[in-house]
Amino acid sequence: MALDFGFRNFDTAEADQWYNQELMGEAIASYFEDNFDHQCIMDDEEYCTNTCARENLRVSTKIPPWELTSIENIRRRAEASRKIVVGFCDDESSPTYPMDVYYIHAPACWDGWHPRCNGVKNTLPLREAWLGMEAVVGTDHNAKRIGLSNVRPNELRDIIHFVRDREATYDGVGPPPRMPDALQAYADPLRPANELRTICKENGIEFVSYSTLGTQHRMRDGSNPVLDNPQINEIAENYNRSPAEVVLSWAIHNEMSVIPRSTKEHHISQLSNLLNWESFLNDEDVLTIDALSLN
């Protein structure tokens, strides 16, 4: 459904309690096979262009913390995920069509985060796991970019320092040290993740916000103080937009990438109005929403 409305950027994960990367891969493959001639087409400069590349298809996924058992396993999981979500894109012009971002979903397991995390202890330290992530891009080319998710500010800073320290002494052997290209974190107007966003901005890391529309609040007690907020609803009325569009526009204004989730056609249609990823809010509106922060 999202593909019909023009979306070409998708986010998923191996963690099966919240995501189904297999189903996503199958759905995207089916859409492309039904709607595009999956042939190698010669462009004006007479070289072959890939169907998925022409459509700018970007699919990101995440390795769960219980799979961070070795550098080799990180690389294996990335290869397997690539085949699942974008393997159908492979052709003679792009034999290994890459994922967009491959994320570490969480730096470690803790009881209660996911049923498969309960009792898991023997996983790699985050620095060692990052070496495996660098190989995913620099050696295996299974992803264009790599990133982190659900990390604390001190953990993000440590990986930045780890990369920079090795950049100074890199001798060309093995995959080069690589900064995180992207960071996924929970951020909404009430909990805007200011410290993480600042670190990302200072270091050229894309900040990708999830649960931007108040999902985390709703999961706790069923309420949604983000979309039900009076100031946000007043702004929405002024623009004849939905509260969700206002919140996403606020995030875009604050240089966040957003990955909203919906299964409802009218919501997806509303979200498609923001596909140019330009904020329609003025500075006063943004300041009003910024002031809602509980941080």
Side-chain angles (χ1 to χ4, degrees):
M1 189 188 308
L3 287 157
D4 290 322
F5 283 98
F7 289 94
R8 295 294 184 269
N9 189 357
F10 297 93
D11 178 82
T12 186
E14 279 193 59
D16 51 6
Q17 186 177 19
W18 308 304
Y19 298 89
N20 190 327
Q21 70 173 9
E22 289 82 4
L23 188 61
M24 174 175 283
E26 290 170 4
I28 297 173
S30 177
Y31 179 88
F32 269 66
E33 289 166 4
D34 290 345
N35 290 275
F36 301 103
D37 182 8
H38 195 61
Q39 299 291 326
C40 183
I41 296 176
M42 305 301 287
D43 69 9
D44 292 340
E45 297 182 7
E46 297 187 352
Y47 66 88
C48 216
T49 56
N50 179 279
T51 303
C52 296
R54 289 197 308 274
E55 286 295 309
N56 195 25
L57 177 66
R58 294 176 292 159
V59 183
S60 300
T61 191
K62 311 171 193 71
I63 183 170
W66 59 84
E67 293 287 2
L68 301 176
T69 54
S70 69
I71 289 174
E72 292 73 21
N73 193 55
I74 291 170
R75 296 172 67 181
R76 282 194 298 268
R77 298 313 307 162
E79 181 180 13
S81 287
R82 190 204 71 81
K83 290 178 179 177
I84 289 169
V85 297
V86 292
F88 74 93
C89 294
D90 296 349
D91 64 15
E92 58 266 43
S93 69
S94 182
T96 305
Y97 188 85
M99 299 177 285
D100 184 16
V101 187
Y102 192 56
Y103 292 96
I104 291 177
H105 203 160
C109 269
W110 60 88
D111 288 350
W113 187 75
H114 186 283
R116 293 184 64 181
C117 261
N118 295 340
V120 173
K121 302 297 181 186
N122 296 321
T123 55
L124 296 178
L126 188 55
R127 283 189 171 200
E128 190 172 348
W130 193 249
L131 296 175
M133 298 294 284
E134 290 173 339
V136 168
V137 171
T139 301
D140 305 327
H141 310 295
N142 280 311
K144 296 177 183 177
R145 304 187 291 159
I146 46 176
L148 294 164
S149 179
N150 297 308
V151 295
R152 299 181 180 91
N154 65 303
E155 292 169 324
L156 176 57
R157 288 193 186 96
D158 184 67
I159 290 298
I160 291 170
H161 293 153
F162 178 56
V163 172
R164 286 187 174 154
D165 289 345
R166 290 181 299 119
E167 283 177 335
T169 58
Y170 177 61
D171 59 4
V173 177
R178 187 181 183 100
M179 289 280 285
D181 295 286
L183 172 77
Q184 271 196 20
Y186 157 44
D188 66 28
L190 305 185
R191 303 286 185 187
N194 289 331
E195 187 174 1
L196 283 170
R197 286 166 50 206
T198 298
I199 298 170
C200 287
K201 186 171 184 178
E202 291 173 347
N203 292 278
I205 300 169
E206 180 186 7
F207 183 91
V208 182
S209 167
Y210 70 80
S211 295
T212 320
L213 300 179
T215 311
Q216 297 292 315
H217 304 280
R218 190 171 66 239
M219 288 171 60
R220 295 189 189 104
D221 59 16
S223 66
N224 192 329
V226 173
L227 296 186
D228 294 338
N229 182 273
Q231 287 99 321
I232 289 174
N233 277 266
E234 182 178 349
I235 293 170
E237 290 177 8
N238 291 339
Y239 287 94
N240 194 27
R241 299 275 196 148
S242 69
E245 288 176 282
V246 168
V247 172
L248 294 177
S249 188
W250 162 82
I252 293 166
H253 190 103
N254 280 317
E255 300 180 345
M256 304 183 211
S257 298
V258 291
I259 45 173
R261 176 190 296 189
S262 181
T263 58
K264 297 179 180 178
E265 183 172 354
H266 69 283
H267 287 165
I268 294 173
S269 177
Q270 285 180 345
L271 295 175
S272 70
N273 294 328
L274 295 170
L275 274 177
N276 61 1
W277 303 120
E278 293 181 2
S279 175
F280 58 80
L281 300 177
N282 61 41
D283 291 342
E284 184 179 351
D285 298 325
V286 173
L287 289 173
T288 297
I289 299 173
D290 283 343
L292 301 176
S293 170
L294 300 176
N295 285 357

